[in-house]
Amino acid sequence: MGTDLALARLRLGDPEACVDLLHEAVEITATTGGRVPAQRIRLARQELRPWRAEDFLAQLDDHIHDTLLGP
């Protein structure tokens, strides 16, 4: 899934590319459903904690909340 690729990008030192891929994973998970993909997104999000003050991460959090958790 896209979360594996996102984590690979993070480990290569590109957290913004990781977040871009996670946005795609959120959309796919919202469309197809499933608990396991949502858990993998959560785990990938936890890996991004060092960048918690960055705008790109706040946008991802908003996207996760709006798309997977509801308004």
Side-chain angles (χ1 to χ4, degrees), residues 1-4 6-7 10-11 18-19 21-23 25-27 29-30 34-50 57 60-61 63-65 68-69:
M1 169 139 202
T3 53
D4 293 333
L7 285 173
L10 181 62
R11 291 189 178 102
C18 171
V19 168
L21 290 165
L22 287 176
H23 277 290
V26 167
E27 287 299 320
T29 301
R35 186 177 53 124
V36 173
Q39 289 173 336
R40 293 176 69 97
I41 291 169
R42 181 182 59 83
L43 293 173
R45 171 56 186 87
Q46 288 175 344
E47 295 285 328
L48 288 161
R49 283 185 191 153
L57 195 52
L60 176 64
D61 289 342
H63 188 202
I64 290 169
H65 185 270
L68 297 179
L69 304 176

